[in-house]
Amino acid sequence: MKVFNVKNNVYSVGVSDPGLRVFDIMMETKHGTTYNSYLIKEQGGITIIDGVKEQFTDQWLNNIRSLVDISDIKYLVVQHTEPDHSGAIPHLLALNPNIQVFGSFMAMANLKEINNGAFNANVVKPKQELKLSDRQSLFFHPVPNVHWPDTIIIHDPFNDLAFTCDFLGMHIAPLQLFFSKEPNKAIIEEELTLYYDAIMAPFKSDALKSVATLKSLDVSMVLNSHGYILDTKEAVRWALDKYTKWSTVHKSDQLTVTVVFASAYGYTRRLKDVIVDELLKGGALVHVFEVPNVEIARIVGKIEESDVLIVASPTFVGDGIKPIYDVLNSLNPVIGHGKYASAFGSFGWSGEAIRNYLNRAKELRFKTVDDGFKVRLKPSEKDVEAARVYARNFITKVREELNK
Ligand SMILES: Cc1cc2nc3c(=O)[nH]c(=O)nc-3n(C[C@H](O)[C@H](O)[C@H](O)COP(=O)(O)O)c2cc1C
Ligand SMILES: [Fe+2]
Ligand SMILES: [Fe+2]
């Protein structure tokens, strides 16, 4: 990517990675990505904001050299230390060990483990000012967990803009980086959405706090670290509105339970029917999904809105079944934290599914109040009554826990 002027004394010195097809092992990037890095060419206070992925070090350093001497760089601000932004930094610090590096406590600690050597680390406090010159200062705002604990954003009031790193980023490697100049806004929206879903979605409440921070700064430009720069106030507002919508979870006042089940011969289904009936009688709001015929994202969305997750299936070959694990494996401990889980099902001779689901739920930080419920083969009338008791006890215990 060629160096270009973003605004006044702010330049883009980042690099383009158009061939990237997978990011962070899991995320498909069909349009590649960019690793945006910025240089503030302020006399006496030359500053670099973020680095790039290590394999692009030479290009990044040459971009910087086209504007300034490396030896004249005074400051480096590290907003986030994931190696797509920090991998090249040790090479810059090797060339100029006098650079003063600024970042959160966590960012400085992480960079130590990436640089594997001493550097001039400066831990920043919330709203701390870094004076670049008589006319220009940068202000640091911690926005932890969008998406690492280390993250800060930078406000540059002189230029009326903010640097936000991954926050409001998108994986796309266009020929020019200005949002306002891209006629195909649909592609930006698609990539902003995919990026949010893959990277930010586990951190919805933190994303909302970061939206509030950025809104309070009321800037006319956002210089992020992947894809298009949001170069108008309207573009910034548009992206912030999207993040607000995606991050707002509509929790009901009613105790909300999501039940995810599968059943080969109808035995677990029979248990599901009576258990759901008891949950409804107990005043819960209940969402029921039969897997594998539902889009997992829809199920995850309902689990996020719920207080309780109950999974149900038979035991197959000494374990639970893939469609249920696919749901559990689409969750994370941020979702599970503060929620309750249970499991039930029919089994033939060993019945491991229930215990294994509960163990996985505990790894995901769901709390449990029982050992689940299981029935050997076809539920008898006695089993049906026991299932009702299980459901009533479960809901009572969860209510007690929630009211503690
Ligand atoms: C392919 C297959 C493998 C099974 N493996 C086990 C097993 O390892 N342990 C067990 O307790 N039951 C096992 N079973 C028995 C089922 O768990 C049992 O038939 C159960 O009642 C089915 O409930 P459903 O009607 O809700 O599907 C297996 C059943 C099938 C079809
Ligand atoms: Fe990141
Ligand atoms: Fe990133």
Side-chain angles (χ1 to χ4, degrees), residues 86-380:
S86 65
I89 286 175
H91 301 281
L92 176 70
L93 296 179
L95 292 172
N96 180 352
N98 296 323
I99 293 175
Q100 293 293 330
V101 186
F102 292 78
S104 67
F105 176 81
M106 181 70 89
M108 294 300 94
N110 288 352
L111 193 61
K112 208 172 139 214
E113 305 299 330
I114 288 168
N115 196 49
N116 293 332
F119 63 94
N120 301 319
N122 299 269
V123 172
V124 304
K125 294 196 185 69
K127 299 189 182 171
Q128 184 176 322
E129 175 180 5
L130 172 62
K131 217 166 162 27
L132 305 189
S133 67
D134 285 342
R135 63 175 191 166
Q136 189 175 14
S137 285
L138 301 179
F139 294 86
F140 305 122
H141 298 265
V143 286
N145 299 326
V146 288
H147 61 120
W148 276 23
D150 59 354
T151 311
I152 61 168
I153 61 177
I154 305 167
H155 184 207
D156 173 2
F158 173 69
N159 287 313
D160 190 20
L161 55 83
F163 301 90
T164 64
C165 202
D166 286 338
F167 188 69
L168 306 180
M170 70 219 79
H171 285 316
I172 186 163
L175 291 175
Q176 69 79 32
L177 278 194
F178 290 112
F179 176 96
S180 64
K181 291 191 189 151
E182 171 56 60
N184 184 357
K185 299 287 194 278
I187 199 172
I188 302 182
E189 178 161 357
E190 187 192 347
E191 288 302 332
L192 188 81
T193 310
L194 290 173
Y195 191 85
Y196 177 91
D197 287 344
I199 309 286
M200 299 294 170
F203 308 101
K204 293 191 169 66
S205 65
D206 296 293
L208 283 178
K209 285 181 206 157
S210 305
V211 165
T213 301
L214 206 50
K215 272 192 176 158
S216 73
L217 302 178
D218 193 29
V219 289
S220 60
M221 230 190 231
V222 158
L223 282 64
N224 51 20
S225 64
H226 298 289
Y228 288 99
I229 292 169
L230 305 170
D231 60 330
T232 64
K233 229 170 183 142
E234 292 66 41
V236 174
R237 202 172 304 133
W238 171 80
L240 286 176
D241 285 349
K242 295 261 174 229
Y243 265 51
T244 304
K245 188 169 146 233
W246 298 329
S247 304
T248 306
V249 176
H250 299 282
K251 279 204 75 121
S252 165
D253 290 341
Q254 237 176 317
L255 184 77
T256 306
V257 183
T258 294
V259 178
V260 184
F261 83 100
S263 181
Y265 296 101
Y267 298 161
T268 302
R269 181 191 299 278
R270 171 83 180 118
L271 297 176
K272 181 270 300 176
D273 288 343
V274 295
I275 286 166
V276 167
D277 184 52
E278 281 302 320
L279 295 171
L280 291 170
K281 278 187 192 155
L285 177 67
V286 187
H287 305 293
V288 183
F289 296 100
E290 182 171 8
V291 285
N293 300 323
V294 191
E295 203 195 335
I296 289 185
R298 259 191 66 211
I299 303 177
V300 172
K302 282 297 173 207
I303 295 170
E304 285 185 306
E305 293 172 17
S306 300
D307 306 292
V308 173
L309 168 64
I310 303 181
V311 291
S313 87
T315 294
F316 275 10
V317 202
D319 198 357
I321 59 169
K322 185 172 179 295
I324 297 284
Y325 280 121
D326 284 346
V327 172
L328 292 171
N329 290 339
S330 304
L331 306 176
N332 57 59
V334 179
I335 294 176
H337 182 57
K339 294 186 174 42
Y340 291 82
S342 191
F344 66 87
S346 171
F347 71 104
W349 50 92
S350 53
E352 294 89 343
I354 308 310
R355 182 197 65 210
N356 293 353
Y357 291 149
L358 289 179
N359 283 340
R360 180 67 188 127
K362 285 180 207 164
E363 285 174 354
L364 293 165
R365 291 182 77 190
F366 284 88
K367 285 190 190 154
T368 56
V369 293
D370 59 25
D371 295 326
F373 177 74
K374 59 187 173 186
V375 167
R376 193 144 174 236
L377 297 168
K378 186 175 177 179
S380 64

Side-chain angles (χ1 to χ4, degrees), residues 29-66:
T29 48
K30 58 179 187 243
H31 299 114
T33 196
T34 62
Y35 311 107
N36 300 345
S37 163
Y38 301 97
L39 186 150
I40 305 176
K41 200 174 170 184
E42 183 65 356
Q43 197 64 39
I46 293 170
T47 302
I48 305 284
I49 314 282
D50 290 335
V52 300
K53 205 171 173 176
E54 186 167 22
Q55 74 195 75
F56 297 93
T57 299
D58 289 345
Q59 212 182 313
W60 180 53
L61 292 175
N62 286 334
N63 285 350
I64 294 171
R65 284 189 190 105
S66 75

